[in-house]
Amino acid sequence: MFSREEGVVAALSARLRQLQATEHQKLGFPGWSTPLPAELLPFFDFELNNYGDPYIDPVFGWHTKDLERELVEALADLFGAPVGDRWGYVTTGGSEGNVYGLWLGRTLYRDAIVYHSDAAHGSVAKNAEVIDRRAVIVGTDDRGEMDYDALRRALSANRHRSAIIVATIGTTMTEAVDDVVEIRRAVRDAGVESCYIHADAALSGLPLAVLTEGPAFGLHTVDSLSFSGHKFLGAAIPCGVVITRGSYRQRVRETISYTGSPDPTLGSSRSGHTALVLWHRLRTLGLSGLRQMAEYTRDLATYAERELRTLGWDAWRAHPYACTVVLKSPPQPVLDRWPLATVNGISHIVCTPGVTRERLDRFVSDLAASLTPAAAHATAA
Ligand SMILES: *Cc1c(COP(=O)(O)O)cnc(C)c1O
């Protein structure tokens, strides 16, 4: 490991070749990457540290907080955050956004119980532990959407305690969308007085926000919202954004730091490069570019679902705007060629903006080939 440079170049090029080869198998997970634009490359020669609060510049100049603020403000507009009462920052990903939402909820309501569905991302249960709150798991329907009657019953059983509820906007396995209006109704019916709602919109937040139709949600109905930058947007480095109310940010205990910025974030030293990449992505795509991407992924998923059904293979989507197609797990030889997220005999393919129709066609024809009697015989043998 600590030998000098010999072999490093060879090791890197072997790794690169392997990456280039596996790129064409990407179909089963929500991440993808766009090439880094050449004009951004020189910035990676420099330290960029957005330490602490993006709204307050440090005493030093090596940061991108001005771009981060522009990004957060544009997204706050897009998600309908109240003007004059918004705040947010670039995180390390959807999971940090989730723990931030839970932490804010607990800061506002110290006695709160966390409620999330059994289709919520694994980081939610883990983060309930991190903030040392009891988590109540609520069931879901057969598409993965929260069962609001079950939520109402769970809330009623604890009506004297505050609630932190995580609504998943696009569940990991089926991309089902929890309905925040129904959640609010359950809270009201149960007589719970204090409630904080965090929307985990890791994958679907952006596409649903830019499409002109589809399930509605936004920061006018939730207290915080987070999404991932390496999913729909295709940042090559894991990252994300969390947005909440400016008034909540004031409630977080913050350390005054020697950098000149107070620090209400979880990361403290935060990447200025991911803020730069996300800012560049939004600036160059614009709203129309984002909308085109969202339409592309929705249409590709519609196509994929139809192709699989034509083949006689079980396939469905949680709603007509989802880019995730849920399917009966393909035979093992197909899974060996196409790594797919698979749970209990169910798999999914995620039509990210990086997936081409040609790639989908190859997957479907591999699946078709595996269903011929000869292939079935080979598998059995
Ligand atoms: C991917 C995902 C996350 C985690 O996001 P990261 O950016 O990978 O940390 C959280 N919630 C949902 C619903 C997800 O699909």
Side-chain angles (χ1 to χ4, degrees):
M1 172 74 211
F2 295 108
S3 64
R4 301 287 304 268
E5 280 183 21
E6 71 203 69
V8 168
V9 172
L12 286 179
S13 47
R15 176 171 295 266
L16 194 57
R17 275 195 306 279
Q18 194 228 352
L19 257 183
Q20 284 158 343
T22 54
E23 188 66 19
H24 305 288
Q25 305 175 315
K26 270 192 183 166
L27 203 54
F29 296 89
W32 71 289
S33 54
T34 48
L36 194 66
E39 66 261 37
L40 292 187
L41 219 46
F43 291 91
F44 284 79
D45 288 346
F46 294 93
E47 176 194 3
L48 287 174
N49 191 337
N50 289 10
Y51 191 98
D53 191 337
Y55 281 75
I56 297 165
D57 284 344
V59 294
F60 53 77
W62 40 95
H63 66 89
T64 58
K65 285 191 176 183
D66 49 335
L67 306 185
E68 187 176 9
R69 290 193 288 272
E70 200 180 316
L71 175 74
V72 168
E73 289 294 328
L75 291 165
D77 284 340
L78 184 63
F79 289 114
V83 175
D85 187 17
R86 45 176 55 176
W87 183 82
Y89 73 91
V90 174
T91 61
T92 53
S95 303
E96 182 182 334
N98 283 346
V99 74
Y100 199 77
L102 293 179
W103 185 45
L104 270 183
R106 197 196 82 148
T107 301
L108 296 173
Y109 307 118
R110 307 298 297 187
D111 69 320
I113 293 174
V114 174
Y115 300 82
H116 64 82
S117 85
D118 59 17
H121 189 258
S123 62
V124 176
K126 179 181 72 181
N127 293 331
E129 269 192 48
V130 170
I131 64 161
D132 198 20
R133 294 289 88 195
R134 181 156 74 88
V136 174
I137 300 170
V138 178
T140 46
D141 67 12
D142 54 4
R143 303 210 148 205
E145 182 175 342
M146 187 181 274
D147 175 346
Y148 308 106
D149 287 328
L151 175 66
R152 187 177 294 109
R153 286 193 298 275
L155 287 164
S156 299
N158 300 289
R159 77 167 57 84
H160 302 299
R161 299 275 293 275
S162 310
I164 299 171
I165 305 176
V166 177
T168 308
I169 307 300
T171 59
T172 308
M173 205 53 201
T174 68
E175 212 183 315
V177 175
D178 293 339
D179 186 336
V180 177
V181 173
E182 288 290 339
I183 291 176
R184 289 255 177 238
R185 185 170 298 142
V187 171
R188 215 173 36 242
D189 292 351
V192 169
E193 250 171 47
S194 308
C195 166
Y196 182 100
I197 301 182
H198 174 74
D200 173 6
L203 170 63
S204 310
L206 270 180
L208 287 182
V210 296
L211 285 174
T212 47
E213 34 188 17
F217 74 99
L219 275 156
H220 44 290
T221 56
V222 299
D223 297 285
S224 51
L225 174 152
S226 56
F227 68 89
S228 308
H230 51 286
K231 293 186 176 174
F232 181 71
L233 281 177
I237 312 165
C239 58
V241 178
V242 63
I243 305 174
T244 183
R245 305 273 158 81
S247 44
Y248 297 163
R249 176 241 174 274
Q250 309 302 335
R251 304 283 295 273
V252 173
R253 194 178 85 89
E254 58 188 43
T255 47
I256 300 299
S257 116
Y258 53 85
T259 65
S261 309
D263 180 22
T265 69
L266 282 173
S268 298
S269 274
R270 296 181 303 103
S271 168
H273 293 98
T274 51
L276 175 73
V277 167
L278 290 181
W279 172 85
H280 185 272
R281 200 87 180 100
L282 287 199
R283 277 295 290 258
T284 50
L285 281 167
L287 203 52
S288 62
L290 285 174
R291 190 166 289 143
Q292 266 174 25
M293 268 164 58
E295 287 167 355
Y296 172 80
T297 59
R298 176 201 59 191
D299 294 347
L300 195 63
T302 310
Y303 169 77
E305 182 187 0
R306 199 171 55 227
E307 290 293 292
L308 287 165
R309 287 191 171 184
T310 304
L311 197 63
W313 197 259
D314 249 5
W316 54 273
R317 284 184 301 151
H319 56 84
Y321 308 93
C323 66
T324 303
V325 182
V326 187
L327 64 156
K328 187 175 80 168
S329 292
Q332 194 56 46
V334 178
L335 289 178
D336 291 342
R337 293 187 64 171
W338 299 92
L340 303 184
T342 297
V343 180
N344 299 333
I346 299 289
S347 300
H348 72 192
I349 56 182
V350 188
C351 297
T352 67
V355 174
T356 59
R357 193 161 161 146
E358 181 271 331
R359 192 183 300 171
L360 259 174
D361 287 342
R362 270 193 296 123
F363 169 75
V364 174
S365 70
D366 279 357
L367 180 59
S370 77
L371 303 178
T372 62
H377 182 73
T379 312

